[in-house]
Amino acid sequence: ENHPDTATCYNNLAELYRKQDRYDEAEPLYIKAKDIYNKVLDENHPDTATCYNNLAGLYDEQGRYDEAEPLFIKAKDIYKKVLGENHPDTASNYNNLALLYDEQGRYKEAESLYIKAKDIREKVLGEKHAKTALSYMSLGGFYYERGESQVGLELCEKALRIYQNTLLAGHPATQLCEDWVEGIKNSMGK
């Protein structure tokens, strides 16, 4: 019961339930995984941080922002301490925290974190990586929603080119990005 692999199984099953919108089933599994990781691996372990990040994502999806934010911040602090500022997991956490702030109307904080995530991913993964494309798409959507349609369109089109070159045809990320680009173009009358 108290083994890191058991915690990983709980965490992975919780992720599955979360993707199926089975939040009531996911939450106790995340908490169980977090407790095992804290006990066996330590508070300052990347797997513990990932569990905090995933539980925060669950709370964010449910609109439980006051519960999500401290967990995202805790995960960020662990990632920065253990993996460093310029690590893909740190960048992913920045992007997740940016989404939370964006949803709350905390736009200045959100923009800063979106940019930070993008910069890390460009530096570490390169400009043609699918995770970097996610940052372009997130930042593009952010700018579009703030009324900067042309900037948003350019970033989303950049993301789309990357997705089309790196992911399989029909991949959900590519489809979503195509929809965003089309929607932005339609709103701009293009």
Side-chain angles (χ1 to χ4, degrees), residues 70-113:
L71 293 172
F72 276 138
I73 291 170
K74 192 174 245 190
K76 172 186 63 83
D77 293 343
I78 296 169
Y79 285 137
K80 284 176 66 174
K81 180 179 180 180
V82 178
L83 302 176
E85 175 75 21
N86 292 314
H87 190 278
D89 290 348
T90 307
S92 292
N93 177 265
Y94 284 146
N95 203 74
N96 292 340
L97 189 54
L99 286 167
L100 175 78
Y101 290 156
D102 196 354
E103 292 164 348
Q104 293 178 304
R106 296 164 64 181
Y107 302 127
K108 193 173 193 99
E109 294 167 281
E111 181 180 22
S112 171
L113 290 169

mmCIF file of all heavy atoms in Angstrom, residues 70-113:
data_model
loop_
_atom_site.group_PDB
_atom_site.id
_atom_site.type_symbol
_atom_site.label_atom_id
_atom_site.label_comp_id
_atom_site.label_asym_id
_atom_site.label_seq_id
_atom_site.Cartn_x
_atom_site.Cartn_y
_atom_site.Cartn_z
ATOM 1 N N PRO A 70 -3.308 27.117 -4.014
ATOM 2 C CA PRO A 70 -2.174 26.746 -3.153
ATOM 3 C C PRO A 70 -1.490 25.444 -3.574
ATOM 4 O O PRO A 70 -0.286 25.285 -3.377
ATOM 5 C CB PRO A 70 -2.782 26.628 -1.755
ATOM 6 C CG PRO A 70 -4.246 26.653 -1.913
ATOM 7 C CD PRO A 70 -4.552 27.214 -3.260
ATOM 8 N N LEU A 71 -2.252 24.533 -4.170
ATOM 9 C CA LEU A 71 -1.650 23.279 -4.640
ATOM 10 C C LEU A 71 -0.782 23.518 -5.877
ATOM 11 O O LEU A 71 0.315 22.945 -5.993
ATOM 12 C CB LEU A 71 -2.722 22.240 -4.931
ATOM 13 C CG LEU A 71 -3.486 21.727 -3.703
ATOM 14 C CD1 LEU A 71 -4.647 20.842 -4.127
ATOM 15 C CD2 LEU A 71 -2.557 20.978 -2.765
ATOM 16 N N PHE A 72 -1.254 24.355 -6.801
ATOM 17 C CA PHE A 72 -0.426 24.706 -7.958
ATOM 18 C C PHE A 72 0.863 25.389 -7.497
ATOM 19 O O PHE A 72 1.943 25.112 -8.010
ATOM 20 C CB PHE A 72 -1.176 25.647 -8.915
ATOM 21 C CG PHE A 72 -2.085 24.974 -9.903
ATOM 22 C CD1 PHE A 72 -3.341 25.498 -10.171
ATOM 23 C CD2 PHE A 72 -1.700 23.832 -10.602
ATOM 24 C CE1 PHE A 72 -4.183 24.908 -11.099
ATOM 25 C CE2 PHE A 72 -2.538 23.226 -11.529
ATOM 26 C CZ PHE A 72 -3.781 23.775 -11.778
ATOM 27 N N ILE A 73 0.738 26.287 -6.527
ATOM 28 C CA ILE A 73 1.911 27.010 -6.025
ATOM 29 C C ILE A 73 2.874 26.061 -5.311
ATOM 30 O O ILE A 73 4.086 26.138 -5.494
ATOM 31 C CB ILE A 73 1.479 28.191 -5.131
ATOM 32 C CG1 ILE A 73 0.807 29.268 -5.993
ATOM 33 C CG2 ILE A 73 2.669 28.764 -4.364
ATOM 34 C CD1 ILE A 73 0.130 30.370 -5.221
ATOM 35 N N LYS A 74 2.333 25.142 -4.536
ATOM 36 C CA LYS A 74 3.175 24.155 -3.855
ATOM 37 C C LYS A 74 3.928 23.308 -4.883
ATOM 38 O O LYS A 74 5.129 23.050 -4.739
ATOM 39 C CB LYS A 74 2.310 23.271 -2.951
ATOM 40 C CG LYS A 74 3.096 22.413 -2.004
ATOM 41 C CD LYS A 74 2.145 21.694 -1.070
ATOM 42 C CE LYS A 74 2.403 22.187 0.326
ATOM 43 N NZ LYS A 74 1.736 21.444 1.366
ATOM 44 N N ALA A 75 3.219 22.870 -5.920
ATOM 45 C CA ALA A 75 3.860 22.086 -6.987
ATOM 46 C C ALA A 75 4.952 22.913 -7.665
ATOM 47 O O ALA A 75 6.057 22.409 -7.903
ATOM 48 C CB ALA A 75 2.818 21.627 -8.002
ATOM 49 N N LYS A 76 4.655 24.174 -7.945
ATOM 50 C CA LYS A 76 5.633 25.055 -8.593
ATOM 51 C C LYS A 76 6.898 25.174 -7.751
ATOM 52 O O LYS A 76 8.015 25.065 -8.261
ATOM 53 C CB LYS A 76 5.032 26.438 -8.823
ATOM 54 C CG LYS A 76 6.020 27.496 -9.308
ATOM 55 C CD LYS A 76 5.409 28.872 -9.383
ATOM 56 C CE LYS A 76 4.948 29.418 -8.083
ATOM 57 N NZ LYS A 76 5.948 30.044 -7.236
ATOM 58 N N ASP A 77 6.715 25.381 -6.463
ATOM 59 C CA ASP A 77 7.869 25.528 -5.574
ATOM 60 C C ASP A 77 8.730 24.266 -5.545
ATOM 61 O O ASP A 77 9.957 24.341 -5.544
ATOM 62 C CB ASP A 77 7.407 25.900 -4.162
ATOM 63 C CG ASP A 77 6.793 27.290 -4.081
ATOM 64 O OD1 ASP A 77 6.996 28.096 -5.014
ATOM 65 O OD2 ASP A 77 6.089 27.557 -3.089
ATOM 66 N N ILE A 78 8.079 23.104 -5.546
ATOM 67 C CA ILE A 78 8.824 21.839 -5.546
ATOM 68 C C ILE A 78 9.557 21.660 -6.876
ATOM 69 O O ILE A 78 10.752 21.323 -6.898
ATOM 70 C CB ILE A 78 7.896 20.638 -5.268
ATOM 71 C CG1 ILE A 78 7.304 20.727 -3.866
ATOM 72 C CG2 ILE A 78 8.657 19.315 -5.451
ATOM 73 C CD1 ILE A 78 6.168 19.739 -3.604
ATOM 74 N N TYR A 79 8.852 21.879 -7.981
ATOM 75 C CA TYR A 79 9.491 21.735 -9.295
ATOM 76 C C TYR A 79 10.715 22.638 -9.414
ATOM 77 O O TYR A 79 11.776 22.209 -9.869
ATOM 78 C CB TYR A 79 8.517 22.067 -10.425
ATOM 79 C CG TYR A 79 7.476 21.015 -10.717
ATOM 80 C CD1 TYR A 79 6.152 21.381 -10.958
ATOM 81 C CD2 TYR A 79 7.791 19.667 -10.791
ATOM 82 C CE1 TYR A 79 5.183 20.439 -11.255
ATOM 83 C CE2 TYR A 79 6.826 18.707 -11.080
ATOM 84 C CZ TYR A 79 5.522 19.101 -11.309
ATOM 85 O OH TYR A 79 4.570 18.158 -11.608
ATOM 86 N N LYS A 80 10.541 23.904 -9.024
ATOM 87 C CA LYS A 80 11.665 24.842 -9.123
ATOM 88 C C LYS A 80 12.838 24.404 -8.252
ATOM 89 O O LYS A 80 13.989 24.481 -8.663
ATOM 90 C CB LYS A 80 11.213 26.252 -8.740
ATOM 91 C CG LYS A 80 10.402 26.936 -9.822
ATOM 92 C CD LYS A 80 9.876 28.277 -9.391
ATOM 93 C CE LYS A 80 10.987 29.265 -9.154
ATOM 94 N NZ LYS A 80 10.486 30.620 -8.878
ATOM 95 N N LYS A 81 12.533 23.935 -7.044
ATOM 96 C CA LYS A 81 13.581 23.528 -6.104
ATOM 97 C C LYS A 81 14.307 22.267 -6.572
ATOM 98 O O LYS A 81 15.531 22.186 -6.508
ATOM 99 C CB LYS A 81 12.968 23.304 -4.721
ATOM 100 C CG LYS A 81 13.952 22.884 -3.663
ATOM 101 C CD LYS A 81 13.248 22.723 -2.317
ATOM 102 C CE LYS A 81 14.221 22.307 -1.241
ATOM 103 N NZ LYS A 81 13.562 22.142 0.053
ATOM 104 N N VAL A 82 13.548 21.285 -7.031
ATOM 105 C CA VAL A 82 14.115 19.976 -7.338
ATOM 106 C C VAL A 82 14.567 19.854 -8.801
ATOM 107 O O VAL A 82 15.629 19.302 -9.081
ATOM 108 C CB VAL A 82 13.109 18.856 -6.993
ATOM 109 C CG1 VAL A 82 13.643 17.494 -7.346
ATOM 110 C CG2 VAL A 82 12.741 18.917 -5.520
ATOM 111 N N LEU A 83 13.758 20.359 -9.728
ATOM 112 C CA LEU A 83 14.069 20.205 -11.149
ATOM 113 C C LEU A 83 14.683 21.456 -11.766
ATOM 114 O O LEU A 83 15.311 21.384 -12.815
ATOM 115 C CB LEU A 83 12.796 19.841 -11.930
ATOM 116 C CG LEU A 83 12.080 18.567 -11.485
ATOM 117 C CD1 LEU A 83 10.788 18.383 -12.265
ATOM 118 C CD2 LEU A 83 12.984 17.360 -11.638
ATOM 119 N N GLY A 84 14.437 22.599 -11.147
ATOM 120 C CA GLY A 84 14.968 23.859 -11.656
ATOM 121 C C GLY A 84 13.928 24.652 -12.428
ATOM 122 O O GLY A 84 12.874 24.142 -12.817
ATOM 123 N N GLU A 85 14.239 25.906 -12.614
ATOM 124 C CA GLU A 85 13.348 26.841 -13.320
ATOM 125 C C GLU A 85 13.136 26.414 -14.776
ATOM 126 O O GLU A 85 12.039 26.512 -15.303
ATOM 127 C CB GLU A 85 13.956 28.247 -13.263
ATOM 128 C CG GLU A 85 13.206 29.301 -14.039
ATOM 129 C CD GLU A 85 11.922 29.753 -13.382
ATOM 130 O OE1 GLU A 85 11.766 29.573 -12.162
ATOM 131 O OE2 GLU A 85 11.068 30.295 -14.094
ATOM 132 N N ASN A 86 14.190 25.936 -15.423
ATOM 133 C CA ASN A 86 14.126 25.619 -16.848
ATOM 134 C C ASN A 86 13.900 24.128 -17.087
ATOM 135 O O ASN A 86 14.715 23.452 -17.710
ATOM 136 C CB ASN A 86 15.411 26.083 -17.549
ATOM 137 C CG ASN A 86 15.501 27.586 -17.573
ATOM 138 O OD1 ASN A 86 14.547 28.270 -17.891
ATOM 139 N ND2 ASN A 86 16.651 28.110 -17.195
ATOM 140 N N HIS A 87 12.782 23.642 -16.597
ATOM 141 C CA HIS A 87 12.420 22.229 -16.783
ATOM 142 C C HIS A 87 11.008 22.171 -17.369
ATOM 143 O O HIS A 87 10.153 22.985 -17.012
ATOM 144 C CB HIS A 87 12.476 21.491 -15.442
ATOM 145 C CG HIS A 87 12.366 20.013 -15.587
ATOM 146 N ND1 HIS A 87 11.158 19.366 -15.722
ATOM 147 C CD2 HIS A 87 13.328 19.052 -15.626
ATOM 148 C CE1 HIS A 87 11.376 18.069 -15.840
ATOM 149 N NE2 HIS A 87 12.672 17.853 -15.784
ATOM 150 N N PRO A 88 10.736 21.218 -18.260
ATOM 151 C CA PRO A 88 9.402 21.118 -18.856
ATOM 152 C C PRO A 88 8.265 20.982 -17.833
ATOM 153 O O PRO A 88 7.179 21.518 -18.050
ATOM 154 C CB PRO A 88 9.498 19.874 -19.738
ATOM 155 C CG PRO A 88 10.943 19.759 -20.081
ATOM 156 C CD PRO A 88 11.680 20.268 -18.869
ATOM 157 N N ASP A 89 8.503 20.266 -16.724
ATOM 158 C CA ASP A 89 7.450 20.131 -15.713
ATOM 159 C C ASP A 89 7.166 21.460 -15.025
ATOM 160 O O ASP A 89 6.019 21.765 -14.696
ATOM 161 C CB ASP A 89 7.818 19.070 -14.675
ATOM 162 C CG ASP A 89 7.789 17.657 -15.238
ATOM 163 O OD1 ASP A 89 7.267 17.464 -16.358
ATOM 164 O OD2 ASP A 89 8.300 16.749 -14.562
ATOM 165 N N THR A 90 8.203 22.254 -14.810
ATOM 166 C CA THR A 90 8.012 23.589 -14.238
ATOM 167 C C THR A 90 7.201 24.436 -15.207
ATOM 168 O O THR A 90 6.270 25.148 -14.799
ATOM 169 C CB THR A 90 9.383 24.246 -13.935
ATOM 170 O OG1 THR A 90 10.165 23.369 -13.129
ATOM 171 C CG2 THR A 90 9.207 25.568 -13.222
ATOM 172 N N ALA A 91 7.524 24.354 -16.490
ATOM 173 C CA ALA A 91 6.784 25.104 -17.508
ATOM 174 C C ALA A 91 5.317 24.687 -17.550
ATOM 175 O O ALA A 91 4.424 25.537 -17.640
ATOM 176 C CB ALA A 91 7.430 24.912 -18.883
ATOM 177 N N SER A 92 5.059 23.387 -17.470
ATOM 178 C CA SER A 92 3.667 22.902 -17.480
ATOM 179 C C SER A 92 2.894 23.449 -16.289
ATOM 180 O O SER A 92 1.733 23.852 -16.413
ATOM 181 C CB SER A 92 3.625 21.374 -17.464
ATOM 182 O OG SER A 92 4.117 20.861 -18.667
ATOM 183 N N ASN A 93 3.552 23.480 -15.143
ATOM 184 C CA ASN A 93 2.902 24.022 -13.953
ATOM 185 C C ASN A 93 2.605 25.508 -14.126
ATOM 186 O O ASN A 93 1.533 25.977 -13.753
ATOM 187 C CB ASN A 93 3.773 23.784 -12.728
ATOM 188 C CG ASN A 93 3.176 24.388 -11.485
ATOM 189 O OD1 ASN A 93 3.525 25.515 -11.135
ATOM 190 N ND2 ASN A 93 2.265 23.683 -10.844
ATOM 191 N N TYR A 94 3.551 26.264 -14.703
ATOM 192 C CA TYR A 94 3.309 27.688 -14.965
ATOM 193 C C TYR A 94 2.090 27.865 -15.870
ATOM 194 O O TYR A 94 1.251 28.728 -15.648
ATOM 195 C CB TYR A 94 4.519 28.347 -15.628
ATOM 196 C CG TYR A 94 5.679 28.638 -14.716
ATOM 197 C CD1 TYR A 94 6.978 28.558 -15.193
ATOM 198 C CD2 TYR A 94 5.499 29.011 -13.390
ATOM 199 C CE1 TYR A 94 8.070 28.823 -14.377
ATOM 200 C CE2 TYR A 94 6.583 29.277 -12.566
ATOM 201 C CZ TYR A 94 7.860 29.190 -13.066
ATOM 202 O OH TYR A 94 8.932 29.466 -12.257
ATOM 203 N N ASN A 95 2.008 27.034 -16.898
ATOM 204 C CA ASN A 95 0.876 27.134 -17.821
ATOM 205 C C ASN A 95 -0.444 26.832 -17.106
ATOM 206 O O ASN A 95 -1.445 27.523 -17.315
ATOM 207 C CB ASN A 95 1.080 26.186 -19.006
ATOM 208 C CG ASN A 95 0.294 26.604 -20.217
ATOM 209 O OD1 ASN A 95 0.645 27.561 -20.880
ATOM 210 N ND2 ASN A 95 -0.771 25.879 -20.515
ATOM 211 N N ASN A 96 -0.441 25.813 -16.240
ATOM 212 C CA ASN A 96 -1.652 25.469 -15.489
ATOM 213 C C ASN A 96 -2.065 26.590 -14.542
ATOM 214 O O ASN A 96 -3.246 26.930 -14.432
ATOM 215 C CB ASN A 96 -1.438 24.181 -14.689
ATOM 216 C CG ASN A 96 -1.292 22.971 -15.569
ATOM 217 O OD1 ASN A 96 -1.685 22.963 -16.724
ATOM 218 N ND2 ASN A 96 -0.694 21.924 -15.031
ATOM 219 N N LEU A 97 -1.094 27.179 -13.864
ATOM 220 C CA LEU A 97 -1.382 28.283 -12.948
ATOM 221 C C LEU A 97 -1.865 29.504 -13.727
ATOM 222 O O LEU A 97 -2.768 30.218 -13.278
ATOM 223 C CB LEU A 97 -0.141 28.606 -12.109
ATOM 224 C CG LEU A 97 -0.296 29.571 -10.949
ATOM 225 C CD1 LEU A 97 -1.403 29.146 -9.979
ATOM 226 C CD2 LEU A 97 1.032 29.708 -10.195
ATOM 227 N N ALA A 98 -1.297 29.716 -14.913
ATOM 228 C CA ALA A 98 -1.755 30.818 -15.770
ATOM 229 C C ALA A 98 -3.216 30.637 -16.151
ATOM 230 O O ALA A 98 -4.003 31.598 -16.127
ATOM 231 C CB ALA A 98 -0.881 30.901 -17.026
ATOM 232 N N LEU A 99 -3.595 29.408 -16.489
ATOM 233 C CA LEU A 99 -5.003 29.134 -16.834
ATOM 234 C C LEU A 99 -5.921 29.456 -15.656
ATOM 235 O O LEU A 99 -6.995 30.039 -15.836
ATOM 236 C CB LEU A 99 -5.178 27.665 -17.241
ATOM 237 C CG LEU A 99 -4.659 27.266 -18.604
ATOM 238 C CD1 LEU A 99 -4.611 25.746 -18.742
ATOM 239 C CD2 LEU A 99 -5.520 27.864 -19.703
ATOM 240 N N LEU A 100 -5.495 29.083 -14.468
ATOM 241 C CA LEU A 100 -6.282 29.366 -13.265
ATOM 242 C C LEU A 100 -6.467 30.876 -13.098
ATOM 243 O O LEU A 100 -7.577 31.356 -12.884
ATOM 244 C CB LEU A 100 -5.602 28.774 -12.034
ATOM 245 C CG LEU A 100 -6.262 29.096 -10.692
ATOM 246 C CD1 LEU A 100 -7.487 28.215 -10.470
ATOM 247 C CD2 LEU A 100 -5.280 28.918 -9.550
ATOM 248 N N TYR A 101 -5.371 31.622 -13.202
ATOM 249 C CA TYR A 101 -5.448 33.080 -13.047
ATOM 250 C C TYR A 101 -6.286 33.707 -14.154
ATOM 251 O O TYR A 101 -7.044 34.646 -13.917
ATOM 252 C CB TYR A 101 -4.053 33.687 -13.013
ATOM 253 C CG TYR A 101 -3.266 33.375 -11.764
ATOM 254 C CD1 TYR A 101 -1.883 33.417 -11.761
ATOM 255 C CD2 TYR A 101 -3.900 33.023 -10.575
ATOM 256 C CE1 TYR A 101 -1.149 33.131 -10.621
ATOM 257 C CE2 TYR A 101 -3.173 32.734 -9.425
ATOM 258 C CZ TYR A 101 -1.797 32.794 -9.454
ATOM 259 O OH TYR A 101 -1.080 32.519 -8.319
ATOM 260 N N ASP A 102 -6.150 33.184 -15.359
ATOM 261 C CA ASP A 102 -6.937 33.669 -16.492
ATOM 262 C C ASP A 102 -8.428 33.492 -16.212
ATOM 263 O O ASP A 102 -9.233 34.406 -16.420
ATOM 264 C CB ASP A 102 -6.515 32.902 -17.750
ATOM 265 C CG ASP A 102 -6.965 33.537 -19.050
ATOM 266 O OD1 ASP A 102 -7.702 34.533 -19.034
ATOM 267 O OD2 ASP A 102 -6.561 33.007 -20.108
ATOM 268 N N GLU A 103 -8.802 32.322 -15.717
ATOM 269 C CA GLU A 103 -10.210 32.040 -15.401
ATOM 270 C C GLU A 103 -10.745 32.954 -14.310
ATOM 271 O O GLU A 103 -11.934 33.232 -14.249
ATOM 272 C CB GLU A 103 -10.366 30.577 -14.962
ATOM 273 C CG GLU A 103 -10.128 29.586 -16.078
ATOM 274 C CD GLU A 103 -9.906 28.162 -15.587
ATOM 275 O OE1 GLU A 103 -9.716 27.937 -14.377
ATOM 276 O OE2 GLU A 103 -9.904 27.258 -16.441
ATOM 277 N N GLN A 104 -9.853 33.422 -13.435
ATOM 278 C CA GLN A 104 -10.255 34.290 -12.327
ATOM 279 C C GLN A 104 -10.199 35.769 -12.706
ATOM 280 O O GLN A 104 -10.503 36.619 -11.870
ATOM 281 C CB GLN A 104 -9.338 34.053 -11.118
ATOM 282 C CG GLN A 104 -9.494 32.694 -10.501
ATOM 283 C CD GLN A 104 -8.531 32.510 -9.343
ATOM 284 O OE1 GLN A 104 -7.320 32.651 -9.484
ATOM 285 N NE2 GLN A 104 -9.084 32.199 -8.180
ATOM 286 N N GLY A 105 -9.791 36.076 -13.930
ATOM 287 C CA GLY A 105 -9.680 37.470 -14.339
ATOM 288 C C GLY A 105 -8.410 38.145 -13.831
ATOM 289 O O GLY A 105 -8.312 39.371 -13.851
ATOM 290 N N ARG A 106 -7.456 37.381 -13.415
ATOM 291 C CA ARG A 106 -6.170 37.914 -12.933
ATOM 292 C C ARG A 106 -5.196 37.906 -14.121
ATOM 293 O O ARG A 106 -4.237 37.154 -14.180
ATOM 294 C CB ARG A 106 -5.664 37.068 -11.768
ATOM 295 C CG ARG A 106 -6.600 37.143 -10.566
ATOM 296 C CD ARG A 106 -6.364 36.057 -9.545
ATOM 297 N NE ARG A 106 -5.044 36.125 -8.918
ATOM 298 C CZ ARG A 106 -4.634 35.251 -7.997
ATOM 299 N NH1 ARG A 106 -5.436 34.273 -7.600
ATOM 300 N NH2 ARG A 106 -3.438 35.367 -7.473
ATOM 301 N N TYR A 107 -5.498 38.788 -15.083
ATOM 302 C CA TYR A 107 -4.869 38.731 -16.397
ATOM 303 C C TYR A 107 -3.380 39.057 -16.403
ATOM 304 O O TYR A 107 -2.620 38.430 -17.141
ATOM 305 C CB TYR A 107 -5.615 39.634 -17.379
ATOM 306 C CG TYR A 107 -7.068 39.267 -17.513
ATOM 307 C CD1 TYR A 107 -8.065 40.212 -17.348
ATOM 308 C CD2 TYR A 107 -7.451 37.947 -17.782
ATOM 309 C CE1 TYR A 107 -9.405 39.870 -17.452
ATOM 310 C CE2 TYR A 107 -8.788 37.595 -17.889
ATOM 311 C CZ TYR A 107 -9.762 38.564 -17.721
ATOM 312 O OH TYR A 107 -11.069 38.228 -17.825
ATOM 313 N N LYS A 108 -2.959 39.996 -15.617
ATOM 314 C CA LYS A 108 -1.535 40.364 -15.587
ATOM 315 C C LYS A 108 -0.692 39.180 -15.097
ATOM 316 O O LYS A 108 0.349 38.854 -15.678
ATOM 317 C CB LYS A 108 -1.334 41.588 -14.705
ATOM 318 C CG LYS A 108 0.008 42.230 -14.848
ATOM 319 C CD LYS A 108 0.043 43.548 -14.064
ATOM 320 C CE LYS A 108 1.241 44.354 -14.444
ATOM 321 N NZ LYS A 108 1.000 45.392 -15.390
ATOM 322 N N GLU A 109 -1.155 38.521 -14.034
ATOM 323 C CA GLU A 109 -0.450 37.349 -13.513
ATOM 324 C C GLU A 109 -0.483 36.196 -14.522
ATOM 325 O O GLU A 109 0.514 35.493 -14.709
ATOM 326 C CB GLU A 109 -1.079 36.887 -12.199
ATOM 327 C CG GLU A 109 -0.917 37.874 -11.053
ATOM 328 C CD GLU A 109 -1.815 37.517 -9.884
ATOM 329 O OE1 GLU A 109 -3.026 37.829 -9.951
ATOM 330 O OE2 GLU A 109 -1.307 36.927 -8.916
ATOM 331 N N ALA A 110 -1.627 36.027 -15.169
ATOM 332 C CA ALA A 110 -1.778 34.952 -16.153
ATOM 333 C C ALA A 110 -0.825 35.165 -17.324
ATOM 334 O O ALA A 110 -0.098 34.238 -17.718
ATOM 335 C CB ALA A 110 -3.216 34.877 -16.647
ATOM 336 N N GLU A 111 -0.803 36.377 -17.861
ATOM 337 C CA GLU A 111 0.057 36.657 -19.014
ATOM 338 C C GLU A 111 1.520 36.377 -18.691
ATOM 339 O O GLU A 111 2.243 35.743 -19.469
ATOM 340 C CB GLU A 111 -0.110 38.103 -19.466
ATOM 341 C CG GLU A 111 0.748 38.450 -20.675
ATOM 342 C CD GLU A 111 0.587 39.892 -21.114
ATOM 343 O OE1 GLU A 111 0.161 40.745 -20.301
ATOM 344 O OE2 GLU A 111 0.905 40.171 -22.287
ATOM 345 N N SER A 112 1.959 36.820 -17.538
ATOM 346 C CA SER A 112 3.345 36.610 -17.122
ATOM 347 C C SER A 112 3.698 35.125 -17.082
ATOM 348 O O SER A 112 4.773 34.713 -17.545
ATOM 349 C CB SER A 112 3.552 37.257 -15.748
ATOM 350 O OG SER A 112 4.795 36.906 -15.217
ATOM 351 N N LEU A 113 2.805 34.317 -16.547
ATOM 352 C CA LEU A 113 3.060 32.879 -16.446
ATOM 353 C C LEU A 113 2.962 32.172 -17.797
ATOM 354 O O LEU A 113 3.743 31.250 -18.072
ATOM 355 C CB LEU A 113 2.117 32.241 -15.432
ATOM 356 C CG LEU A 113 2.405 32.615 -13.976
ATOM 357 C CD1 LEU A 113 1.273 32.153 -13.073
ATOM 358 C CD2 LEU A 113 3.735 32.026 -13.517
#
